Amino acid sequence: MVEGLEILSDMGVTFTDSAARHIKSFLEKRGKGIGLRLAVRTTGCSGLAYVLEFADEVAANDEVFQDNDITVIIDRKSLVYLDGTELDFTREGLNEGFKFNNPNVKDECGCGESFTI
């Protein structure tokens, strides 16, 4: 938990145990920061793409949540698109990475990099 931050009780995004382990490992290796920032940006063939990065500060338009002892920061604009999403970490053959299970998605592009709501 991060001192001095107002943590909202209704989590907009949750993590599977696998995702939480990987995120905690990445945060520990980094050695600084307050948590993880999730967002969406306009891009790709379907219109929106996920952004997953380390967070070092909280902006005025951010909402702060916690799940599995991970502080999650989401800007209010992105929260509309991410609310209810479960973040998983999967391995398929030689590939591994984070997978967004987002109930708001209506369609995804063929390459899986972008989506529409």
Side-chain angles (χ1 to χ4, degrees), residues 7-23:
I7 308 294
L8 298 176
S9 59
D10 293 331
M11 181 62 183
V13 174
T14 57
F15 304 110
T16 63
D17 290 341
S18 177
R21 278 193 303 276
H22 278 82
I23 292 167

Side-chain angles (χ1 to χ4, degrees), residues 9-91:
S9 59
D10 293 331
M11 181 62 183
V13 174
T14 57
F15 304 110
T16 63
D17 290 341
S18 177
R21 278 193 303 276
H22 278 82
I23 292 167
K24 287 177 187 176
S25 174
F26 292 142
L27 290 170
E28 287 172 10
K29 287 177 186 174
R30 185 170 188 247
K32 65 176 184 172
I34 59 173
L36 187 70
R37 177 174 294 283
L38 297 178
V40 295
R41 61 182 163 90
T42 304
T43 189
C45 39
S46 291
L48 299 170
Y50 298 108
V51 177
L52 180 70
E53 58 192 15
F54 295 114
D56 293 324
E57 59 187 30
V58 175
N61 67 331
D62 288 337
E63 299 290 351
V64 181
F65 303 94
Q66 279 204 320
D67 188 54
N68 277 322
D69 296 323
I70 299 168
T71 300
V72 184
I73 297 138
I74 305 173
D75 66 271
R76 289 184 188 114
K77 181 180 173 187
S78 294
L79 185 56
V80 173
Y81 302 107
L82 294 171
D83 196 31
T85 298
E86 176 190 66
L87 186 61
D88 193 9
F89 187 85
T90 61
R91 287 193 174 111

Side-chain angles (χ1 to χ4, degrees), residues 90-105:
T90 61
R91 287 193 174 111
E92 295 176 10
L94 297 175
N95 298 319
E96 65 180 21
F98 289 102
K99 179 180 179 185
F100 288 81
N101 298 314
N102 186 340
N104 305 305
V105 170

